[in-house]
């Protein structure tokens, strides 16, 4: 049997923080996506589009709350 790690809100937050988005500890996926979008609109976030593209391609391992946050906030702004 193969065990796959799911991408949860903490993983999503960590990936955005690695791109330079300041997000407080414990923030949920919606807050993470909104803060990334705000920074993207203000000064840009290098690598954000690539991260979102990667996560969407791997949507089978995204928790639904992370996918919904990406779909609602980030996809419309990046595509």
């Amino acid at each position: 049997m193969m065990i796959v790690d799911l991408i949860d809100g903490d993983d999503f937050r960590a990936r955005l923080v690695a791109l330079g988005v300041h997000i407080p500890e414990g923030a949920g996926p919606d807050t993470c996506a909104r803060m990334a979008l705000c920074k993207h609109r203000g000064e840009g976030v290098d690598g954000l589009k690539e991260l979102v593209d990667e996560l969407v391609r791997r949507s089978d391992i995204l928790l639904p709350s992370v996918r919904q946050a990406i779909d609602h906030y980030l996809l419309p702004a990046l595509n």
Side-chain angles (χ1 to χ4, degrees):
M1 177 166 52
M2 189 159 124
I3 299 175
V4 177
D5 282 330
L6 296 177
I7 298 172
D8 63 9
D10 291 335
D11 297 324
F12 184 47
R13 179 189 170 276
R15 290 173 184 231
L16 292 171
V17 167
L19 295 179
V21 180
H22 176 72
I23 302 170
E25 288 276 334
D30 279 349
T31 299
C32 292
R34 284 194 317 264
M35 293 183 83
L37 178 59
C38 184
K39 181 170 173 124
H40 170 72
R41 286 181 174 159
E43 60 190 70
V45 178
D46 288 336
L48 182 60
K49 181 166 178 25
E50 292 80 10
L51 173 63
V52 169
D53 289 345
E54 174 194 346
L55 293 176
V56 168
R57 278 194 311 274
R58 301 178 70 203
S59 64
D60 57 322
I61 62 169
L62 286 179
L63 284 183
S65 59
V66 174
R67 179 60 200 239
Q68 289 170 352
I70 290 170
D71 287 349
H72 186 78
Y73 297 103
L74 297 174
L75 279 179
L78 297 173
N79 289 325

